[in-house]
Amino acid sequence: MRLKFKWVFMCIPCMIFAMFLFGGISAAAADAVMLNSNKAVVGSASKENTYYFSNSNVWEFQAEFSLVKEWDTYVTYRVIAPDGRATKESKKIPYVDNQGKFTIPFGELTFTETADISSRNSVAPAGTYYVDLKYYASLWPITWDQKKDETIKVIYYNSNDQYNIPSISISDAGSKYSANIAVSDASGAGTSIITNVDYFFSADERNITTASDFLLAKADSIVSGAPAFSLSSSVAVEIEKPTDGSYKYLYVLARTGNGYSKFVEYNMESQDVSDDKNIPTNDTSTTGDTGLFDYDFGELILLALVVVLIVSCVLIITQKIIDYKKRLY
């Protein structure tokens, strides 16, 4: 009876440990972020609604990880293009050994496979690349899938792509002006996301050739603003007309997450739009903190179970040694 009790005392912690190790160990891995990129959230904050923008041929990511690196040692990636072309799953990358960082040489990828993208959603379907990540855990000689798959949406364009530039149309809407802004390819599908819209009124025509010129002129204008709108590849904003009738020109600037801009000059008297002022730019920035080394509740439970298992094994071994000595005497 006593022997059975010992085995139960040893097996229960082992079973619980195995359950957490192979079923819930995915808590040790965490969400990855894209570095050296702009970031936008369309709608409510979630992984599904998060978009990263890059104009680089090398994509760098950083994933959170547990200090016990044997539990989430590897990550692999697969990149799917907007048209459904896809790469093979990459080799396993030991990202933990590099402080959670790993890179994807986007410019060197070969898209030799196809993938069904009908269930994938994006507000800019013609410009969104899907980076599918899979995390693998390793404990001594055993490696297994953590079931912590995630997808990162990346909107990529190079500086020579004509579809990077937003289009802007302006019309008189009574007491307001209506500005319709879109960034899309020839089919009309969104290629990026409009992230900024600025405007100002001027009594005289301004000599503006760059986005920086525009923002300086806006700072000098008494009547200016940045209308609110929901981020999308196609937006419509309303601009209140100035009460002072001395203003003759309205200037509107739109920018995408990839850093490409366009501004137009609208003559309020003739209702003519000057739309030939395209200004491709490259405005990227690094995302914020990733929260490395943060432990969640599941990880703390797992660590506690490991301690319980070790202590239980030590007690059982000690008891066996004591019983063996008693039998000798």
Side-chain angles (χ1 to χ4, degrees), residues 269-298:
E269 293 181 353
S270 64
Q271 297 186 357
D272 292 331
V273 176
S274 173
D275 60 356
D276 58 349
K277 299 178 179 179
N278 296 343
I279 17 175
T281 60
N282 232 338
D283 180 19
T284 57
S285 60
T286 303
T287 54
D289 295 337
T290 60
L292 287 175
F293 312 127
D294 291 339
Y295 280 96
D296 59 23
F297 185 66

mmCIF file of all heavy atoms in Angstrom, residues 269-298:
data_model
loop_
_atom_site.group_PDB
_atom_site.id
_atom_site.type_symbol
_atom_site.label_atom_id
_atom_site.label_comp_id
_atom_site.label_asym_id
_atom_site.label_seq_id
_atom_site.Cartn_x
_atom_site.Cartn_y
_atom_site.Cartn_z
ATOM 1 N N GLU A 269 -12.214 79.322 -56.344
ATOM 2 C CA GLU A 269 -13.015 80.144 -57.257
ATOM 3 C C GLU A 269 -13.319 79.406 -58.559
ATOM 4 O O GLU A 269 -14.462 79.349 -59.012
ATOM 5 C CB GLU A 269 -12.282 81.460 -57.548
ATOM 6 C CG GLU A 269 -12.175 82.373 -56.333
ATOM 7 C CD GLU A 269 -11.474 83.671 -56.678
ATOM 8 O OE1 GLU A 269 -10.960 83.802 -57.811
ATOM 9 O OE2 GLU A 269 -11.431 84.565 -55.805
ATOM 10 N N SER A 270 -12.293 78.811 -59.153
ATOM 11 C CA SER A 270 -12.495 78.101 -60.421
ATOM 12 C C SER A 270 -12.817 76.624 -60.208
ATOM 13 O O SER A 270 -13.191 75.933 -61.163
ATOM 14 C CB SER A 270 -11.235 78.231 -61.286
ATOM 15 O OG SER A 270 -10.138 77.588 -60.652
ATOM 16 N N GLN A 271 -12.645 76.135 -58.959
ATOM 17 C CA GLN A 271 -12.855 74.729 -58.599
ATOM 18 C C GLN A 271 -11.940 73.790 -59.397
ATOM 19 O O GLN A 271 -12.288 72.661 -59.710
ATOM 20 C CB GLN A 271 -14.327 74.328 -58.806
ATOM 21 C CG GLN A 271 -15.283 75.101 -57.910
ATOM 22 C CD GLN A 271 -16.716 74.599 -58.006
ATOM 23 O OE1 GLN A 271 -17.031 73.704 -58.776
ATOM 24 N NE2 GLN A 271 -17.601 75.192 -57.210
ATOM 25 N N ASP A 272 -10.759 74.292 -59.708
ATOM 26 C CA ASP A 272 -9.760 73.487 -60.408
ATOM 27 C C ASP A 272 -8.818 72.833 -59.397
ATOM 28 O O ASP A 272 -8.426 73.446 -58.393
ATOM 29 C CB ASP A 272 -8.942 74.346 -61.372
ATOM 30 C CG ASP A 272 -9.779 74.836 -62.544
ATOM 31 O OD1 ASP A 272 -10.737 74.135 -62.908
ATOM 32 O OD2 ASP A 272 -9.477 75.926 -63.084
ATOM 33 N N VAL A 273 -8.427 71.595 -59.701
ATOM 34 C CA VAL A 273 -7.493 70.861 -58.842
ATOM 35 C C VAL A 273 -6.190 70.653 -59.588
ATOM 36 O O VAL A 273 -6.179 70.144 -60.712
ATOM 37 C CB VAL A 273 -8.067 69.498 -58.423
ATOM 38 C CG1 VAL A 273 -7.034 68.710 -57.609
ATOM 39 C CG2 VAL A 273 -9.333 69.671 -57.616
ATOM 40 N N SER A 274 -5.088 71.080 -58.995
ATOM 41 C CA SER A 274 -3.769 70.808 -59.549
ATOM 42 C C SER A 274 -3.269 69.524 -58.893
ATOM 43 O O SER A 274 -2.963 69.505 -57.696
ATOM 44 C CB SER A 274 -2.812 71.965 -59.246
ATOM 45 O OG SER A 274 -1.505 71.639 -59.649
ATOM 46 N N ASP A 275 -3.222 68.430 -59.678
ATOM 47 C CA ASP A 275 -2.921 67.111 -59.100
ATOM 48 C C ASP A 275 -1.642 66.492 -59.637
ATOM 49 O O ASP A 275 -1.483 65.275 -59.664
ATOM 50 C CB ASP A 275 -4.086 66.156 -59.348
ATOM 51 C CG ASP A 275 -4.357 65.963 -60.829
ATOM 52 O OD1 ASP A 275 -3.692 66.617 -61.647
ATOM 53 O OD2 ASP A 275 -5.228 65.140 -61.165
ATOM 54 N N ASP A 276 -0.712 67.314 -60.079
ATOM 55 C CA ASP A 276 0.521 66.771 -60.662
ATOM 56 C C ASP A 276 1.712 66.889 -59.714
ATOM 57 O O ASP A 276 2.855 66.912 -60.139
ATOM 58 C CB ASP A 276 0.843 67.500 -61.973
ATOM 59 C CG ASP A 276 1.006 68.994 -61.770
ATOM 60 O OD1 ASP A 276 0.669 69.473 -60.668
ATOM 61 O OD2 ASP A 276 1.453 69.670 -62.711
ATOM 62 N N LYS A 277 1.434 66.969 -58.408
ATOM 63 C CA LYS A 277 2.527 67.181 -57.447
ATOM 64 C C LYS A 277 2.751 65.918 -56.613
ATOM 65 O O LYS A 277 2.492 65.883 -55.426
ATOM 66 C CB LYS A 277 2.208 68.373 -56.562
ATOM 67 C CG LYS A 277 2.066 69.668 -57.366
ATOM 68 C CD LYS A 277 1.705 70.840 -56.485
ATOM 69 C CE LYS A 277 1.597 72.122 -57.311
ATOM 70 N NZ LYS A 277 1.234 73.301 -56.516
ATOM 71 N N ASN A 278 3.238 64.891 -57.265
ATOM 72 C CA ASN A 278 3.548 63.643 -56.578
ATOM 73 C C ASN A 278 4.894 63.760 -55.864
ATOM 74 O O ASN A 278 5.863 64.238 -56.440
ATOM 75 C CB ASN A 278 3.625 62.485 -57.572
ATOM 76 C CG ASN A 278 2.285 62.251 -58.236
ATOM 77 O OD1 ASN A 278 1.275 62.718 -57.745
ATOM 78 N ND2 ASN A 278 2.285 61.540 -59.344
ATOM 79 N N ILE A 279 4.951 63.272 -54.637
ATOM 80 C CA ILE A 279 6.201 63.348 -53.882
ATOM 81 C C ILE A 279 6.473 62.020 -53.178
ATOM 82 O O ILE A 279 6.086 61.831 -52.045
ATOM 83 C CB ILE A 279 6.151 64.470 -52.836
ATOM 84 C CG1 ILE A 279 4.709 64.908 -52.583
ATOM 85 C CG2 ILE A 279 7.057 65.604 -53.162
ATOM 86 C CD1 ILE A 279 4.538 65.911 -51.515
ATOM 87 N N PRO A 280 7.126 61.078 -53.859
ATOM 88 C CA PRO A 280 7.478 59.849 -53.165
ATOM 89 C C PRO A 280 8.503 60.111 -52.070
ATOM 90 O O PRO A 280 9.492 60.810 -52.294
ATOM 91 C CB PRO A 280 8.049 58.966 -54.261
ATOM 92 C CG PRO A 280 8.206 59.797 -55.455
ATOM 93 C CD PRO A 280 7.530 61.105 -55.229
ATOM 94 N N THR A 281 8.271 59.585 -50.895
ATOM 95 C CA THR A 281 9.195 59.739 -49.774
ATOM 96 C C THR A 281 9.411 58.387 -49.127
ATOM 97 O O THR A 281 8.736 57.413 -49.432
ATOM 98 C CB THR A 281 8.642 60.732 -48.734
ATOM 99 O OG1 THR A 281 7.384 60.234 -48.250
ATOM 100 C CG2 THR A 281 8.442 62.111 -49.336
ATOM 101 N N ASN A 282 10.319 58.330 -48.200
ATOM 102 C CA ASN A 282 10.621 57.099 -47.483
ATOM 103 C C ASN A 282 10.667 57.423 -46.006
ATOM 104 O O ASN A 282 11.707 57.806 -45.489
ATOM 105 C CB ASN A 282 11.971 56.560 -47.933
ATOM 106 C CG ASN A 282 11.876 55.110 -48.342
ATOM 107 O OD1 ASN A 282 10.965 54.425 -47.930
ATOM 108 N ND2 ASN A 282 12.818 54.665 -49.146
ATOM 109 N N ASP A 283 9.553 57.311 -45.340
ATOM 110 C CA ASP A 283 9.469 57.713 -43.945
ATOM 111 C C ASP A 283 9.138 56.497 -43.097
ATOM 112 O O ASP A 283 7.983 56.122 -42.958
ATOM 113 C CB ASP A 283 8.388 58.776 -43.769
ATOM 114 C CG ASP A 283 8.256 59.245 -42.333
ATOM 115 O OD1 ASP A 283 9.204 59.034 -41.568
ATOM 116 O OD2 ASP A 283 7.213 59.818 -41.986
ATOM 117 N N THR A 284 10.167 55.835 -42.548
ATOM 118 C CA THR A 284 9.946 54.662 -41.716
ATOM 119 C C THR A 284 10.500 54.908 -40.331
ATOM 120 O O THR A 284 11.388 55.726 -40.124
ATOM 121 C CB THR A 284 10.637 53.419 -42.312
ATOM 122 O OG1 THR A 284 12.033 53.699 -42.470
ATOM 123 C CG2 THR A 284 10.033 53.068 -43.656
ATOM 124 N N SER A 285 9.966 54.182 -39.376
ATOM 125 C CA SER A 285 10.429 54.318 -37.994
ATOM 126 C C SER A 285 10.353 52.970 -37.312
ATOM 127 O O SER A 285 9.666 52.056 -37.768
ATOM 128 C CB SER A 285 9.567 55.329 -37.231
ATOM 129 O OG SER A 285 8.216 54.913 -37.213
ATOM 130 N N THR A 286 11.055 52.839 -36.211
ATOM 131 C CA THR A 286 11.098 51.581 -35.477
ATOM 132 C C THR A 286 9.926 51.502 -34.527
ATOM 133 O O THR A 286 9.568 52.481 -33.895
ATOM 134 C CB THR A 286 12.418 51.477 -34.681
ATOM 135 O OG1 THR A 286 13.508 51.613 -35.589
ATOM 136 C CG2 THR A 286 12.505 50.142 -33.968
ATOM 137 N N THR A 287 9.360 50.307 -34.422
ATOM 138 C CA THR A 287 8.258 50.120 -33.498
ATOM 139 C C THR A 287 8.766 50.176 -32.067
ATOM 140 O O THR A 287 9.955 50.112 -31.786
ATOM 141 C CB THR A 287 7.579 48.767 -33.748
ATOM 142 O OG1 THR A 287 8.573 47.735 -33.693
ATOM 143 C CG2 THR A 287 6.931 48.747 -35.114
ATOM 144 N N GLY A 288 7.820 50.226 -31.124
ATOM 145 C CA GLY A 288 8.171 50.414 -29.724
ATOM 146 C C GLY A 288 8.596 49.139 -29.033
ATOM 147 O O GLY A 288 8.978 48.152 -29.646
ATOM 148 N N ASP A 289 8.514 49.164 -27.687
ATOM 149 C CA ASP A 289 8.980 48.052 -26.872
ATOM 150 C C ASP A 289 8.210 46.784 -27.187
ATOM 151 O O ASP A 289 7.029 46.800 -27.521
ATOM 152 C CB ASP A 289 8.802 48.379 -25.381
ATOM 153 C CG ASP A 289 9.690 49.543 -24.969
ATOM 154 O OD1 ASP A 289 10.687 49.776 -25.659
ATOM 155 O OD2 ASP A 289 9.366 50.203 -23.965
ATOM 156 N N THR A 290 8.889 45.659 -27.022
ATOM 157 C CA THR A 290 8.257 44.368 -27.250
ATOM 158 C C THR A 290 7.949 43.647 -25.949
ATOM 159 O O THR A 290 7.323 42.597 -25.963
ATOM 160 C CB THR A 290 9.178 43.461 -28.087
ATOM 161 O OG1 THR A 290 10.407 43.279 -27.386
ATOM 162 C CG2 THR A 290 9.475 44.096 -29.428
ATOM 163 N N GLY A 291 8.386 44.203 -24.804
ATOM 164 C CA GLY A 291 8.068 43.582 -23.526
ATOM 165 C C GLY A 291 8.804 42.284 -23.299
ATOM 166 O O GLY A 291 8.228 41.317 -22.805
ATOM 167 N N LEU A 292 10.073 42.224 -23.663
ATOM 168 C CA LEU A 292 10.839 41.002 -23.490
ATOM 169 C C LEU A 292 10.920 40.611 -22.021
ATOM 170 O O LEU A 292 10.964 41.453 -21.128
ATOM 171 C CB LEU A 292 12.252 41.173 -24.048
ATOM 172 C CG LEU A 292 12.362 41.208 -25.569
ATOM 173 C CD1 LEU A 292 13.788 41.512 -25.958
ATOM 174 C CD2 LEU A 292 11.931 39.903 -26.176
ATOM 175 N N PHE A 293 10.964 39.294 -21.809
ATOM 176 C CA PHE A 293 11.166 38.698 -20.494
ATOM 177 C C PHE A 293 9.969 38.855 -19.563
ATOM 178 O O PHE A 293 10.075 38.611 -18.370
ATOM 179 C CB PHE A 293 12.418 39.268 -19.803
ATOM 180 C CG PHE A 293 13.620 39.279 -20.689
ATOM 181 C CD1 PHE A 293 14.350 40.439 -20.877
ATOM 182 C CD2 PHE A 293 14.011 38.140 -21.360
ATOM 183 C CE1 PHE A 293 15.461 40.451 -21.702
ATOM 184 C CE2 PHE A 293 15.122 38.144 -22.191
ATOM 185 C CZ PHE A 293 15.836 39.306 -22.347
ATOM 186 N N ASP A 294 8.826 39.274 -20.048
ATOM 187 C CA ASP A 294 7.628 39.340 -19.222
ATOM 188 C C ASP A 294 7.067 37.930 -19.067
ATOM 189 O O ASP A 294 6.847 37.242 -20.057
ATOM 190 C CB ASP A 294 6.572 40.240 -19.856
ATOM 191 C CG ASP A 294 7.006 41.692 -19.833
ATOM 192 O OD1 ASP A 294 7.882 42.033 -19.016
ATOM 193 O OD2 ASP A 294 6.463 42.454 -20.626
ATOM 194 N N TYR A 295 6.806 37.512 -17.854
ATOM 195 C CA TYR A 295 6.216 36.208 -17.609
ATOM 196 C C TYR A 295 4.713 36.355 -17.446
ATOM 197 O O TYR A 295 4.242 37.252 -16.763
ATOM 198 C CB TYR A 295 6.791 35.586 -16.318
ATOM 199 C CG TYR A 295 8.136 34.961 -16.513
ATOM 200 C CD1 TYR A 295 9.300 35.674 -16.222
ATOM 201 C CD2 TYR A 295 8.255 33.672 -16.993
ATOM 202 C CE1 TYR A 295 10.544 35.091 -16.412
ATOM 203 C CE2 TYR A 295 9.498 33.082 -17.170
ATOM 204 C CZ TYR A 295 10.632 33.799 -16.869
ATOM 205 O OH TYR A 295 11.855 33.231 -17.049
ATOM 206 N N ASP A 296 3.940 35.442 -18.052
ATOM 207 C CA ASP A 296 2.513 35.456 -17.829
ATOM 208 C C ASP A 296 2.165 34.387 -16.805
ATOM 209 O O ASP A 296 3.005 33.635 -16.332
ATOM 210 C CB ASP A 296 1.726 35.263 -19.128
ATOM 211 C CG ASP A 296 2.064 33.947 -19.819
ATOM 212 O OD1 ASP A 296 2.543 33.031 -19.119
ATOM 213 O OD2 ASP A 296 1.840 33.856 -21.033
ATOM 214 N N PHE A 297 0.872 34.308 -16.461
ATOM 215 C CA PHE A 297 0.438 33.424 -15.383
ATOM 216 C C PHE A 297 0.716 31.958 -15.721
ATOM 217 O O PHE A 297 1.110 31.165 -14.862
ATOM 218 C CB PHE A 297 -1.053 33.651 -15.142
ATOM 219 C CG PHE A 297 -1.594 32.881 -13.968
ATOM 220 C CD1 PHE A 297 -1.186 33.167 -12.680
ATOM 221 C CD2 PHE A 297 -2.506 31.853 -14.165
ATOM 222 C CE1 PHE A 297 -1.674 32.461 -11.596
ATOM 223 C CE2 PHE A 297 -2.998 31.141 -13.091
ATOM 224 C CZ PHE A 297 -2.592 31.440 -11.795
ATOM 225 N N GLY A 298 0.510 31.583 -16.979
ATOM 226 C CA GLY A 298 0.729 30.199 -17.391
ATOM 227 C C GLY A 298 2.168 29.768 -17.203
ATOM 228 O O GLY A 298 2.451 28.638 -16.787
#
